[in-house]
Amino acid sequence: MHFTSEQRLEDGVLAREFTLGEIPGTLWTSASTTSAAPAPLILMAHNNGLPKRDARLVARARHSVGRGYAVASIDAAGCGDRPRSAADEQTRADLRRAMRAGEPVDEIFESLVGPLVGKAAPEWRTTLDALLSLPEIGGPVGYSGWTALGIRLAVTEPRIAAAGFFAGGYVPHAQREEARQVTVPLLLLLQWDDEGNPRQRALDLFDAFATKEKTLHANTGGHTGTPWFEAEDAGRFFDRHLK
């Protein structure tokens, strides 16, 4: 892991950009972390169309650091600012066209999201290995964000102790089946009026999770309308399981 820049922010957060091979990432920690005990870690994964510098993700990361966590995000393969293949770009173009025309899009999402999860999960595990080697970071580890990826990591990565998922992203059929193997404590956020994610699909997914400790928070509003107080509730959720 090679740190390429650092910025001390006004709220006492240290934001460091890093590269790990071809993986670009950001690590947010308290500016005073070096003199404190190692902080528990939250992996914060954006949905595949957003970069790690997305303002909402950065705000959530800084809020979590204020609660005593280290937070990391990466642009995994095909995500954010990472190069995309010609096939990926064509699939995204097909998706935009179908959505404008009001046509069914599930098959297009299946062909796009499934491969992205397959590429992203190994890069997140590689990143986790590197992060846990840093003296300022300890365990346990939480996950927050992109649901399809989070399901894969919660099933295959035993170091993840708790997960917070956003129900607004498309979850391929393979991940819906994998949900039955998720056993870590879980918080699922649902926007009741999400334009692109039928609420019954999200409710069925919540029901499928095998964990005995799972909580569903549903709020009225569209895809991007998640109220900020959910960040506080998510903080309390992670406090229960990572501290």
Side-chain angles (χ1 to χ4, degrees):
M1 176 176 283
H2 175 61
F3 287 102
T4 57
S5 68
E6 70 174 45
Q7 182 181 12
R8 292 177 181 266
L9 307 175
E10 67 276 4
D11 53 0
V13 174
L14 179 64
R16 286 179 285 175
E17 300 294 319
F18 66 82
T19 58
L20 186 61
E22 297 181 352
I23 307 169
T26 306
L27 174 64
W28 295 270
T29 57
S30 170
S32 60
T33 294
T34 53
S35 60
L41 174 66
I42 296 176
L43 305 177
M44 199 164 282
H46 52 76
N47 208 342
N48 63 84
L50 296 175
K52 58 184 174 58
R53 64 174 180 274
D54 176 74
R56 289 173 295 171
L57 184 145
V58 172
R60 287 171 28 229
R62 293 171 66 171
H63 180 267
S64 296
V65 171
R67 297 185 70 97
Y69 297 96
V71 180
S73 184
I74 66 170
D75 282 339
C79 299
D81 294 333
R82 294 281 294 277
R84 297 167 181 164
S85 68
D88 285 344
E89 292 292 5
Q90 183 60 54
T91 301
R92 291 174 187 274
D94 292 343
L95 177 62
R96 291 190 293 268
R97 179 198 56 76
M99 294 179 72
R100 286 195 299 267
E103 298 172 358
V105 295
D106 278 13
E107 288 189 12
I108 301 176
F109 269 124
E110 285 284 335
S111 64
L112 175 66
V113 179
L116 282 177
V117 170
K119 295 174 184 176
E123 293 199 346
W124 273 99
R125 287 194 292 269
T126 297
T127 303
L128 179 57
D129 290 341
L131 290 167
L132 290 178
S133 71
L134 299 175
E136 64 267 36
I137 296 178
V141 179
Y143 173 91
S144 175
W146 181 12
T147 301
L149 173 64
I151 291 171
R152 176 65 54 81
L153 290 177
V155 170
T156 61
E157 178 46 73
R159 290 173 291 186
I160 292 178
F165 295 156
F166 293 90
Y170 183 83
V171 177
H173 288 285
Q175 271 69 62
R176 296 181 215 174
E177 288 303 311
E178 280 182 302
R180 304 182 190 283
Q181 304 174 49
V182 173
T183 58
V184 298
L186 174 67
L187 172 64
L188 182 68
L189 299 183
L190 168 62
Q191 284 302 102
W192 201 244
D193 308 300
D194 195 317
E195 311 84 28
N197 188 40
R199 69 178 67 138
Q200 190 58 53
R201 178 183 291 168
L203 295 173
D204 290 343
L205 179 66
F206 178 75
D207 189 55
F209 288 119
T211 180
K212 295 181 179 179
E213 183 173 343
K214 56 183 177 180
T215 301
L216 173 69
H217 285 186
N219 291 282
T220 58
H223 183 74
T224 60
T226 304
W228 179 250
F229 63 72
E230 288 292 358
E232 288 290 339
D233 287 343
R236 288 190 286 271
F237 167 78
F238 284 119
D239 287 349
R240 291 196 299 273
H241 300 292
L242 302 184
K243 290 185 176 180

